[in-house]
Amino acid sequence: MPKKKIFPQRLVLCLCACMGVLAFLVIYGPAPLDPTADTWLLAGYDEGDITQHYAGWLAFRNSPWAFPLGYAANLSVPDGVIISYTDSIPWVAILCKLLRGVLPATWQYFGLYTLLCFVLQGLAAGMLVRRFSQSGLFTVMASALFVFAPILLDRALRHTALASHWLILFSLYLYLQYRQSLQSYSAAHLQQGGASVRPARFPWQCFLLNILAIGLHPYMMPITMLFTLLCCIERGFHGMREKAFIRWAKAAGLMLTALLSTVLAGWCLGVVGWTTGDSREGFGFYNMNLNAICNPFSPFGYQWSRFLPALPQGPGQYEGFNYMGLGVLALLGLAAALLLRHCAKTHARGLGAWLCRNALLLAAALFLTAFACSNMVTLGDASLTIPLPQKLLQLCGIFRSSGRMFYTVWYLLLLGALAALSRLTPQKLSAALLALLLSVQLLDLSPVLAQKHSHMQQAAAGAFVPEIFTNEELAHLGDSHTVLLLTNNISQRRDLAVLAGKQNMACNAALATGGGDYEGAWNSMMEKAPNESLSGSPNADAVYVTDSEGIADAWKQTYGNAPEIKLLQEGPYWFLIPQQN
């Protein structure tokens, strides 16, 4: 009998995970899953940032092992860089570097990791929905809304590490399960015989999720840590056998353990304690517009809605992209109507208990929403700036792209609406309504799904690959050890860093997106590299690159037809390549 109950549960969750595979293949096809093919990365699929992530991995793979573990000496020379700040998914990069001796020359993990994100997203969504629905069909369809979530599709294979939304869902699941078990334990002790009920154990998986988060993408860590905090607060409130002081002391100890273990992991990776100036300008610029959940605007040429028009937003508010899709918006409206009807019938009985039970979660949602909007609150083109102390603004600048913090609220809204639909309508009706809403959601998103699929097929076929990757001479730069860029264009830096990394060469390109003043390495190199290239005896271990016609003309005048120097032009770049004997 028990096996009959367990097998369907596992089967449903397996189908939810498979829904993630299906979503990935529908959107991208199999092309990015070949780890030995990097054409779509060279093409800068979706946005040029993916090229930066690849450059970070190449430099890290070619660099000697060092401490901290995430240090890549071959990029941003002479200082090197921590690959957390190139968004190269450090935990995955470290695992692959351990195997670099047996990996092929071309190896990328971004496609496989994104597939894993979709699978874990579907699995976690299924586990959450199964908490309130016993219908396998309802659960699988609900998981489809999670794996086709616009906020996930917006980041996948663009800011790949930020597609780790499964960290949010699993953290939410652990909190809800732990809260439920604690409340059941407390309720049992208010009744006769409750002493025989065992207290719930603190979910140790919270510690693991925090450690994973800081080594996948630092922006995920505040969210996972927030749910750990909620678990600790629940631990402090419940525990009928213990005195209040003991309960809260244990809760504080658990939270301290979570913080210390995460900080230690971050220190070992290099994301904590090894750099200065983690705070950057941009808090309030990269925020969320209040119209975000119904605004399908995208600055990258994608049509996110077949039916809804794009609404005004600020220039940096693409970081606050949180469009929900027409199907989910309709689901939210239906859920609100069902809840209002339910409250009218019951005269709002139970509402107070529900608010009390979810007070911590609601407070967390309000905090994340406020942080996502920042102190520069905007609705369309209208804005209101709330003055904040400079110290607080500097602290917030550590997570300057604050619009991302709404992801958790996005999923809470979806999960709450699904729960209302499941609990307040008959099972068959709820499944039928969900099927209709899922169809509306996919139809609404169909333009962007088709665009992303087509773009990936073209990128994988080499349609957008820069010329420097197809030039045979540049593919064999010899035994040169360093590529010295004399160009400060960010997209050019990314391409040239990848060109160097694919040939096991170091590069002075400063590509880090945070974590200190990596421009310092660039500036120090620029002080001497141009003069060095024009000295008549350039460094034989270097390749010099410029997009300046003036410098290129000076190279021609200085070296003419000198046999020991090769001058090569490809696209906007000129290469000065000293010939080694």
Side-chain angles (χ1 to χ4, degrees):
M1 220 29 208
K3 288 185 178 179
K4 290 183 180 179
K5 292 181 180 179
I6 293 175
F7 179 74
Q9 168 88 349
R10 292 178 176 174
L11 177 60
V12 168
L13 294 180
C14 181
L15 290 174
C16 291
C18 290
M19 186 62 72
V21 178
L22 177 63
F24 182 93
L25 293 177
V26 165
I27 301 166
Y28 306 108
L33 297 180
D34 182 358
T36 64
D38 63 355
T39 306
W40 60 277
L41 289 164
L42 303 181
Y45 172 76
D46 224 9
E47 187 192 359
D49 280 5
I50 190 70
T51 310
Q52 172 180 302
H53 310 161
Y54 188 38
W57 152 240
L58 292 173
F60 181 64
R61 173 180 177 167
N62 298 331
S63 299
W65 284 105
F67 196 85
L69 297 175
Y71 175 72
N74 276 17
L75 191 62
S76 194
V77 294
D79 293 352
V81 70
I82 302 297
I83 60 168
S84 291
Y85 300 117
T86 60
D87 291 341
S88 302
I89 323 178
W91 286 133
V92 182
I94 289 171
L95 175 63
C96 290
K97 186 172 180 176
L98 288 169
L99 303 172
R100 65 180 174 180
V102 297
L103 293 178
T106 298
W107 180 268
Q108 59 84 16
Y109 47 78
F110 299 97
L112 290 173
Y113 179 75
T114 302
L115 174 63
L116 178 64
C117 287
F118 275 79
V119 170
L120 294 176
Q121 179 91 346
L123 177 61
M127 293 169 66
L128 283 166
V129 175
R130 288 295 271 182
R131 295 187 70 256
F132 54 78
S133 174
Q134 295 304 310
S135 169
L137 178 60
F138 186 93
T139 302
V140 174
M141 288 192 296
S143 71
L145 289 175
F146 284 86
V147 296
F148 282 99
I151 55 173
L152 174 63
L153 308 187
D154 177 56
R155 295 298 179 177
L157 298 184
R158 181 167 76 89
H159 292 153
T160 309
L162 268 177
S164 306
H165 290 193
W166 54 272
L167 290 167
I168 302 173
L169 299 185
F170 277 116
S171 296
L172 174 59
Y173 175 79
L174 289 175
Y175 167 69
L176 292 175
Q177 287 292 97
Y178 184 58
R179 186 189 71 177
Q180 183 180 32
S181 61
L182 282 178
Q183 290 174 350
S184 299
Y185 169 67
S186 297
H189 276 264
L190 296 176
Q191 305 172 17
Q192 187 176 358
S196 62
V197 178
R198 296 184 63 183
R201 292 185 177 180
F202 190 87
W204 61 267
Q205 296 92 334
C206 288
F207 302 139
L208 177 61
L209 289 175
N210 289 324
I211 291 171
L212 286 173
I214 202 168
L216 293 175
H217 198 289
Y219 270 80
M220 293 289 111
M221 188 273 294
I223 299 174
T224 60
M225 191 64 72
L226 178 60
F227 282 111
T228 303
L229 174 62
L230 297 186
C231 287
C232 291
I233 294 174
E234 294 285 357
R235 177 66 180 84
F237 276 123
H238 298 90
M240 303 300 292
R241 288 181 174 179
E242 298 172 331
K243 293 182 178 180
F245 172 78
I246 296 176
R247 293 201 310 269
W248 285 103
K250 289 183 177 180
L254 289 166
M255 189 64 203
L256 183 61
T257 301
L259 286 169
L260 291 178
S261 60
T262 306
V263 168
L264 178 61
W267 180 74
C268 290
L269 288 172
V271 72
V272 175
W274 292 88
T275 60
T276 58
D278 290 324
S279 178
R280 295 177 294 157
E281 294 182 356
F283 179 72
F285 180 78
Y286 298 108
N287 63 346
M288 182 184 79
N289 199 297
L290 289 174
N291 64 22
I293 64 171
C294 57
N295 186 2
F297 178 84
S298 170
F300 304 110
Y302 287 119
Q303 182 185 348
W304 281 96
S305 175
R306 181 177 291 277
F307 303 108
L308 299 182
L311 302 174
Q313 68 170 23
Q317 291 181 336
Y318 61 88
E319 284 293 352
F321 176 83
N322 281 283
Y323 178 58
M324 301 204 78
L326 184 59
V328 173
L329 290 172
L331 174 61
L332 290 175
L334 176 60
L338 290 171
L339 288 170
L340 287 174
R341 188 185 70 169
H342 177 72
C343 288
K345 284 184 176 181
T346 61
H347 302 288
R349 288 194 303 270
L351 180 60
W354 182 88
L355 290 173
C356 183
R357 185 170 65 253
N358 290 284
L360 290 178
L361 204 54
L362 292 171
L366 288 173
F367 169 76
L368 290 171
T369 302
F371 191 82
C373 293
S374 80
N375 67 315
M376 298 182 66
V377 184
T378 57
L379 175 60
D381 293 325
S383 64
L384 171 66
T385 301
I386 301 172
L388 291 178
Q390 186 60 37
K391 290 288 185 182
L392 181 57
L393 289 174
Q394 188 175 1
L395 181 64
C396 293
I398 298 175
F399 299 101
R400 65 171 185 170
S401 297
S402 63
R404 302 170 180 177
M405 294 301 170
F406 192 76
Y407 294 160
T408 302
V409 186
W410 197 103
Y411 289 121
L412 284 173
L413 289 171
L414 174 57
L415 190 66
L418 289 168
L421 179 63
S422 175
R423 289 170 173 168
L424 300 179
T425 58
Q427 182 172 310
K428 290 184 179 179
L429 178 59
S430 65
L433 289 171
L434 183 56
L436 175 62
L437 292 167
L438 176 59
S439 300
V440 172
Q441 180 78 350
L442 294 178
L443 182 60
D444 184 47
L445 297 177
S446 58
V448 70
L449 300 182
Q451 286 175 310
K452 283 183 173 286
H453 185 87
S454 175
H455 191 188
M456 174 56 76
Q457 305 318 303
Q458 294 179 61
F464 312 115
V465 175
E467 295 88 344
I468 60 170
F469 295 114
T470 58
N471 185 298
E472 287 295 326
E473 290 185 89
L474 293 179
H476 305 88
L477 288 175
D479 297 324
S480 299
H481 299 147
T482 306
V483 172
L484 301 180
L485 277 60
L486 311 185
T487 175
N488 200 26
N489 181 286
I490 183 65
S491 61
Q492 294 174 356
R493 278 191 273 169
R494 290 165 174 165
D495 290 343
L496 293 166
V498 169
L499 179 69
K502 286 177 68 66
Q503 300 182 57
N504 197 14
M505 300 169 68
C507 183
N508 69 322
L511 296 181
T513 56
D517 183 18
Y518 288 101
E519 292 290 332
W522 171 263
N523 293 332
S524 64
M525 188 65 69
M526 286 298 292
E527 288 178 3
K528 62 179 183 179
N531 292 332
E532 186 180 271
S533 72
L534 292 167
S535 65
S537 55
N539 185 350
D541 290 333
V543 171
Y544 301 86
V545 188
T546 185
D547 60 352
S548 167
E549 289 290 341
I551 293 179
D553 290 341
W555 283 352
K556 295 174 189 176
Q557 294 176 10
T558 302
Y559 300 106
N561 297 319
E564 70 276 9
I565 299 293
K566 177 185 287 187
L567 292 177
L568 177 66
Q569 183 181 18
E570 181 58 72
Y573 310 113
W574 281 90
F575 293 80
L576 187 152
I577 310 172
Q579 302 299 290
Q580 296 179 337
N581 297 324

